[in-house]
């Protein structure tokens, strides 16, 4: 279940289709939780699904996404980052194993108190999402051909 929810959230960040909601469709619990945790947020846009609500906003000059369950609890947060901010051994593993791929996205994702990175790589025939731990472990999270 945890892997399925995480997959859904990562897909939502990296480009899955979802519909934008106006703030009136966001539950009171979610709005109250958001406002208490991200009081400095600007340019907030909401997406609401049956499984979660997502706020995309800017805080301190960075684009951030926060995911909430229906009870208003934060499920996770994500933000774009640079490949160079990953652990050095992970960067080396990615360059060695995926040197013929282009890095298209790198995100930092915090989920249940755990921080991970997800790196999208692609070439002319293949696309993969790599999961990177704080310790530099690299594994394939998802692959599409």
């Amino acid at each position: 279940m945890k892997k399925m929810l995480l997959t859904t959230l990562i897909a939502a960040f990296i480009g899955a289709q979802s519909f934008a909601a106006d703030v009136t469709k966001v539950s009171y619990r979610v709005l109250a939780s958001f406002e208490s945790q991200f009081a400095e947020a600007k340019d907030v846009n909401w997406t609401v699904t049956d499984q979660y609500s997502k706020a995309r906003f800017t805080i301190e000059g960075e684009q951030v996404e926060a995911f909430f369950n229906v009870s208003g609890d934060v499920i996770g947060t994500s933000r774009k980052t640079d490949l160079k901010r990953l652990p050095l051994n992970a960067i080396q593993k990615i360059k060695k194993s995926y040197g013929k791929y282009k890095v298209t996205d790198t995100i930092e994702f915090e989920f249940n108190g755990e921080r991970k990175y997800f790196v999208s790589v692609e070439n002319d025939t293949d696309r993969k999402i790599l999961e990177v731990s704080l310790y530099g472990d690299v594994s394939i999270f998802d692959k599409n051909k």
Side-chain angles (χ1 to χ4, degrees):
M1 179 70 177
K2 181 179 174 184
K3 175 81 172 180
M4 189 166 79
L5 180 59
L6 182 59
T7 301
T8 302
L9 297 178
I10 295 300
F13 184 87
I14 293 182
Q17 294 280 351
S18 57
F19 57 92
D22 96 24
V23 73
T24 62
K25 298 190 188 223
V26 181
S27 77
Y28 171 77
R29 286 180 176 178
V30 170
L31 281 174
S33 178
F34 175 80
E35 289 171 3
S36 72
Q37 294 184 49
F38 303 103
E40 302 295 318
K42 294 179 171 49
D43 304 320
V44 182
N45 292 302
W46 288 94
T47 300
V48 178
T49 72
D50 292 339
Q51 298 174 330
Y52 63 89
S53 294
K54 175 180 75 171
R56 177 177 282 188
F57 55 96
T58 304
I59 194 164
E60 297 194 24
E62 286 194 80
Q63 186 73 31
V64 178
E65 291 186 341
F67 299 85
F68 298 84
N69 65 18
V70 294
S71 300
D73 302 317
V74 175
I75 302 168
T77 59
S78 63
R79 63 183 172 169
K80 287 191 177 198
T81 191
D82 293 321
L83 184 68
K84 65 184 177 186
R85 293 190 57 181
L86 274 62
L88 184 57
N89 59 338
I91 296 168
Q92 292 170 332
K93 289 175 189 175
I94 292 169
K95 286 183 178 183
K96 181 179 178 182
S97 298
Y98 301 97
K100 295 185 180 189
Y101 286 73
K102 177 184 175 189
V103 174
T104 57
D105 253 333
T106 304
I107 63 168
E108 177 184 288
F109 195 82
E110 290 190 35
F111 181 75
N112 288 336
E114 188 177 334
R115 182 181 305 157
K116 294 183 179 185
Y117 298 94
F118 293 89
V119 180
S120 294
V121 295
E122 62 183 50
N123 61 23
D124 292 339
T125 59
D126 195 17
R127 179 176 170 262
K128 296 179 184 343
I129 299 173
L130 308 175
E131 181 176 336
V132 179
S133 76
L134 285 176
Y135 303 106
D137 298 321
V138 178
S139 59
I140 296 176
F141 179 75
D142 187 35
K143 57 184 170 182
N144 299 321
K145 291 185 179 179

